[in-house]
């Protein structure tokens, strides 16, 4: 099982981040039905107001669980993901994807 953390940096301004979140809300049920998907959730920084927090107010973090890299690659090629990318292209600056595995087995 792989954990994917995708940081989607949006253009500055709450309306850009909200547009990306709204677009994700539309596709989440479909993604969760994909073969090999065991979790797909958007997260944003909590305003904890603590000095040790690193905050990214213009980012959305996708926390995803995929059975294999092949499942993740297939996900990225689906029509709903391609449509999603087009829908948010004016709101997104860049995306950084981390594919992680358990370090202690």
């Amino acid at each position: 099982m792989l954990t994917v953390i995708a940081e989607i940096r949006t253009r500055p301004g709450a309306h850009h981040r909200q547009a990306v979140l709204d677009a994700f809300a539309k596709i989440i049920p479909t993604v969760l039905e994909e073969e090999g998907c065991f979790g797909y959730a958007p997260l944003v920084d909590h305003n904890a107001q603590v000095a040790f927090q690193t905050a990214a107010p213009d980012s959305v973090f996708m926390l995803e669980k995929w059975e294999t890299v092949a499942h993740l690659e297939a996900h990225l090629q689906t029509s709903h993901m391609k449509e999603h990318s087009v829908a948010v292209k004016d709101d997104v600056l860049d995306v950084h994807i981390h594919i992680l595995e358990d370090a202690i087995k």
Side-chain angles (χ1 to χ4, degrees):
M1 183 74 57
L2 300 172
T3 298
V4 175
I5 299 174
E7 180 180 6
I8 301 145
R9 287 191 332 116
T10 65
R11 296 190 183 285
H15 62 287
H16 290 292
R17 187 175 83 170
Q18 190 59 52
V20 171
L21 290 169
D22 292 345
F24 273 121
K26 293 176 184 176
I27 65 167
I28 287 172
T30 303
V31 173
L32 289 172
E33 292 179 5
E34 290 180 40
E35 183 179 342
C37 181
F38 292 91
Y40 195 76
L43 303 169
V44 296
D45 281 319
H46 171 71
N47 186 11
Q49 299 182 7
V50 292
F52 55 84
Q53 180 181 16
T54 300
D58 294 321
S59 287
V60 174
F61 297 87
M62 290 303 295
L63 180 60
E64 308 175 26
K65 290 285 195 176
W66 293 96
E67 188 173 338
T68 66
V69 171
H71 288 107
L72 173 59
E73 290 176 322
H75 159 69
L76 295 172
Q77 296 304 313
T78 60
S79 60
H80 53 270
M81 282 308 297
K82 289 180 180 181
E83 292 168 7
H84 171 81
S85 293
V86 170
V88 300
K89 70 178 175 57
D90 292 336
D91 297 300
V92 173
L93 291 175
D94 59 29
V95 178
H96 299 276
I97 298 174
H98 298 267
I99 302 173
L100 309 167
E101 64 183 357
D102 290 339
I104 300 173
K105 297 179 184 192

